[in-house]
Amino acid sequence: NNSALTIDPQEVREELLRKYPAKVARKRAKQIVVNKVGDNEEVPEILANSRTIPGILTMRGCAYAGCKGVVLGPTRDILQITHGPIGCAFYSWLTRRNQTRPRTPESANFMTYTMSTDMQEDNIIFGGEKKLRQAVQEAIDTFHPKAIGIFSTCPVGLIGDDVHAVARDMEEKNPGTNIFAFSCEGYKGVSQSAGHHIANNKIFTDVIGQLDTPPTDKPFRFSILGEYNIGGDAFEIERITEKCGLTAHATFSGNSEYDEFASAHTVDLNVVMCHRSINYMAEMMEKKYGIPWFKINFIGAEATAKSLRKIAAYFEDEALKQRVEEVIAEEMVEVEKVRQEVTTRCEGKLAMLFVGGSRAHHYQELFREIGMKTVSAGYEFAHRDDYEGRKVIPNIVMDADTRNIEELNVQPDDARYRPRREKAALKRFEGEEDLLFGNYAGMMPEMPDGTLAIDDLNHHETEILLEKYKPDVFCAGIKEKYVVQKTGIPMKQLHSYDYSGPYAGFRGAINFYREIDRLVHSKILSLAKAPWQRNPELAGSYVKP
Ligand code: CFM
Ligand code: HCA
């Protein structure tokens, strides 16, 4: 498929914009960028985190999905009540394939339930607060949870139910249960991204810091932020970090429990996997509790090794560093064997990735490891820093969605956390910026010149990209899957992993190499014929407007 590499990306860009009315084309032009990386890693500016033009078939979801589904969804013992008509609760019920393993058979796990106030017309007209109170009381009487989260759907904001007042009242009536509500109506913001922000802020103010005793006194305690245990990724990461002698305290929020969040202020380090969904939390914990943080990436075997080394370097312990090297050496034997075998067949093949707010970047690493090239990639809802990198444009960190430190007036809690804060500050002072702040590169500085970065890709543009480049694999989500497959091109879901996985860590990399190898060599889709290809009269009866 190397003919695709001779395609002029500028021409494709023009083709993508051609059919739009002038105003729409002007806006999309800023969101479709031909990449070019400068000497200082600077890349062209891209418009991101901006409203989708009505009428366009976007890949995006809503703020409720980002808050309830994404950030809080994988937590098993915070009982979650969706306040709204039943659809939102039903469609967010285990569709995101995060897994969980309760510590003991007795541990609470509410993830298999979907709970909702099931609002009806009369609640919309007369208000739904009474029904919400009843639902919360019923949940407490039935399940006795440690915590309850209430999630607002669109109608709640429109009719003006005060979910926060309900949470406060019900908490007073039921001492011992931490009850908090999220104003995460679907229309808040332009995508899932606003929901992440809302979720992070509430967990920070109402949960973090509630429990001062950590469940263990093991060494090298750190939390992993932005890892949601899709397809068991967090299980694989836990396996590796444990093998290295590290103590992963909390994962926000894959395979997680309330108490781990409540005591997360007691760890020595936060590492951030998906920066987009949780940078808010990392920043606030650093400001209040002096916990330093840096980005890591467990997608890709090399990236996993690098991340482990970075964590070990932070703890400055020789035995730990040595153990990490041993683990990497041991795990890489099998990885290398499979990688080399798969590379012989996959080298030079082309991939496209359009996913969420971090995977379209992270998964390029796995493709690179087996010699595949990413010709075009983009996020659904990431911000400019996720594309362009923070190192180059530090000021854009503070875009409209990211002013939470000011919003919540987060202040340093110096009395108890001064030593940790001072240690972290000292590291920075000693020029270890790269350790603490490195790896802020966004997607574009790591993509070759001439590749296309496209924000908030839509259906129309997808069809053109497929036609022009004929990639060997197209990665996106469930809404895109069948559209892509109908063109005969293999499609890989990078949200749900097509119900497979894990893909993180060393064993995950092996799984991914093998699956991609099978997928790009499968002819089944290109052999399938649509009814109108067999019977042209069917095509003839469709008259193009
Ligand atoms: Fe982060 Fe995620 Fe993603 Fe995301 Fe998502 Fe997801 Fe995703 Mo789907 S938190 S930004 S809002 S890595 S649910 S686990 S797969 S779009 S790229
Ligand atoms: C969401 C969740 C989602 C959707 C996946 C998809 C996920 O954004 O609401 O479109 O296939 O990962 O489950 O991103």
Side-chain angles (χ1 to χ4, degrees):
N1 199 347
N2 277 335
S3 61
L5 295 176
T6 58
I7 291 171
D8 178 359
Q10 208 60 53
E11 263 170 37
V12 177
R13 180 172 178 270
E14 275 154 34
E15 180 68 25
L16 292 172
L17 298 169
R18 187 159 297 140
K19 274 205 174 164
Y20 291 133
K23 203 174 152 197
V24 175
R26 265 201 305 280
K27 181 164 188 197
R28 286 304 292 154
K30 296 183 199 151
Q31 295 172 288
I32 304 174
V33 174
V34 178
N35 196 33
K36 187 157 178 45
V37 188
D39 292 341
N40 198 22
E41 284 192 4
E42 69 276 20
V43 289
E45 185 175 326
I46 187 165
L47 176 68
N49 192 34
S50 140
R51 206 163 77 97
T52 303
I53 298 157
I56 278 185
L57 287 182
T58 173
M59 294 161 64
R60 283 175 167 173
C62 68
Y64 164 82
C67 180
K68 193 268 182 189
V70 173
V71 178
L72 271 299
T75 309
R76 61 182 163 260
D77 62 351
I78 297 179
L79 188 145
Q80 309 190 4
I81 300 177
T82 294
H83 187 35
I86 197 64
C88 303
F90 186 80
Y91 287 111
S92 60
W93 183 19
L94 296 183
T95 47
R96 185 162 173 264
R97 302 197 69 83
N98 33 239
Q99 302 179 9
T100 204
R101 268 182 203 153
R103 301 268 177 266
T104 66
E106 292 77 40
S107 307
N109 177 14
F110 305 123
M111 271 170 62
T112 52
Y113 296 93
T114 186
M115 307 205 205
S116 169
T117 48
D118 182 21
M119 272 176 134
Q120 302 292 323
E121 267 168 69
D122 56 339
N123 308 125
I124 303 283
I125 296 161
F126 299 109
E129 289 180 17
K130 194 170 149 211
K131 201 167 187 187
L132 179 59
R133 275 171 221 275
Q134 281 168 355
V136 170
Q137 196 58 56
E138 191 182 329
I140 294 174
D141 296 342
T142 316
F143 294 103
H144 316 288
K146 281 184 184 163
I148 295 182
I150 298 165
F151 299 86
S152 305
T153 59
C154 293
V156 172
L158 296 174
I159 65 172
D161 275 1
D162 189 345
V163 289
H164 305 285
V166 172
R168 268 194 310 275
D169 284 2
M170 295 309 289
E171 196 176 277
E172 240 164 66
K173 286 201 183 76
N174 296 278
T177 310
N178 186 354
I179 306 174
F180 37 88
F182 299 86
S183 289
C184 56
E185 286 85 350
Y187 57 76
K188 289 271 176 79
V190 301
S191 67
Q192 290 95 315
S193 177
H196 303 146
H197 186 184
I198 293 163
N200 281 223
N201 282 5
K202 187 57 83 181
I203 293 298
F204 185 75
T205 55
D206 285 45
V207 181
I208 311 275
Q210 298 289 315
L211 190 66
D212 269 328
T213 41
T216 164
D217 53 6
K218 286 192 196 152
F220 314 126
R221 290 178 55 249
F222 72 109
S223 292
I224 304 171
L225 275 56
E227 164 47 54
Y228 300 94
N229 204 20
I230 309 302
D233 278 352
F235 298 151
E236 166 67 358
I237 295 168
E238 281 164 23
R239 179 187 75 81
I240 297 169
T241 51
E242 203 181 306
K243 195 169 167 186
C244 291
L246 292 158
T247 310
H249 169 75
T251 301
F252 284 70
S253 53
N255 194 29
S256 63
E257 284 185 357
Y258 174 81
D259 284 355
E260 295 163 355
F261 293 166
S263 57
H265 60 302
T266 63
V267 301
D268 297 316
L269 172 69
N270 283 331
V271 297
V272 175
M273 175 94 179
C274 165
H275 174 266
R276 179 66 270 135
S277 59
I278 209 141
N279 68 81
Y280 320 94
M281 186 75 83
E283 306 258 4
M284 290 187 290
M285 284 209 250
E286 177 171 11
K287 175 111 196 219
K288 182 161 181 184
Y289 302 112
I291 304 173
W293 68 275
F294 51 74
K295 248 190 81 48
I296 45 88
N297 175 23
F298 288 115
I299 301 296
E302 279 303 327
T304 301
K306 195 170 149 195
S307 300
L308 292 172
R309 291 193 176 112
K310 211 164 154 181
I311 297 170
Y314 176 79
F315 285 113
E316 293 177 326
D317 182 278
E318 283 314 312
L320 174 67
K321 284 187 197 167
Q322 206 181 322
R323 179 69 192 136
V324 162
E325 291 307 327
E326 281 163 19
V327 171
I328 295 171
E330 195 185 313
E331 298 278 336
M332 279 306 235
V333 176
E334 183 64 15
V335 171
E336 263 309 294
K337 204 175 110 210
V338 180
R339 194 188 68 77
Q340 280 175 19
E341 186 207 316
V342 168
T343 304
T344 58
R345 287 185 296 266
C346 290
E347 182 128 52
K349 294 204 176 290
L350 306 182
M352 288 186 179
L353 297 83
F354 293 93
V355 209
S358 82
R359 295 181 174 201
H361 175 201
H362 285 167
Y363 276 78
Q364 291 185 29
E365 186 89 19
L366 273 170
F367 282 117
R368 215 175 288 130
E369 289 180 352
I370 50 171
M372 288 180 61
K373 296 190 171 71
T374 301
V375 276
S376 183
Y379 300 118
E380 286 169 55
F381 51 74
H383 300 204
R384 272 184 65 198
D385 49 344
D386 305 298
Y387 282 103
E388 297 171 43
R390 260 169 98 154
K391 210 154 85 186
V392 189
I393 33 168
N395 53 328
I396 64 161
V397 174
M398 302 302 285
D399 69 10
D401 267 7
T402 317
R403 295 203 187 96
N404 53 334
I405 291 195
E406 282 83 351
E407 205 175 289
L408 299 180
N409 193 22
V410 178
Q411 296 297 331
D413 186 342
D414 259 357
R416 286 190 295 170
Y417 303 102
R418 175 156 298 161
R420 183 162 64 199
R421 192 184 302 282
E422 281 172 356
K423 189 177 158 209
L426 199 65
K427 273 182 180 282
R428 254 166 230 184
F429 186 69
E430 284 172 352
E432 291 196 45
E433 271 93 358
D434 200 47
L435 180 63
L436 284 175
F437 299 111
N439 199 4
Y440 269 48
M443 170 200 281
M444 289 164 70
E446 293 185 358
M447 287 180 74
D449 288 358
T451 49
L452 278 171
I454 308 179
D455 186 57
D456 188 17
L457 184 80
N458 59 51
H459 189 131
H460 163 66
E461 292 163 9
T462 302
E463 287 185 343
I464 295 174
L465 285 181
L466 293 174
E467 192 192 306
K468 295 284 168 200
Y469 284 96
K470 300 194 173 44
D472 297 285
V473 62
F474 187 95
C475 304
I478 190 65
K479 299 195 288 296
E480 295 73 49
K481 184 160 180 85
Y482 303 101
V483 174
V484 176
Q485 288 187 167
K486 278 178 196 166
T487 67
I489 291 170
M491 197 281 178
K492 180 73 202 164
Q493 292 188 65
L494 285 189
H495 299 261
S496 66
Y497 299 166
D498 290 302
Y499 327 112
S500 177
Y503 295 148
F506 300 113
R507 290 185 186 166
I510 294 173
N511 288 341
F512 195 78
Y513 303 155
R514 287 200 197 283
E515 278 183 42
I516 293 301
D517 186 19
R518 282 197 296 267
L519 193 68
V520 300
H521 290 103
S522 157
K523 298 255 181 304
I524 189 84
L525 291 167
S526 57
L527 294 174
K529 288 256 177 294
W532 55 86
Q533 289 169 313
R534 265 193 249 281
N535 301 306
E537 69 276 13
L538 285 174
S541 64
Y542 170 71
V543 183
K544 274 202 170 168

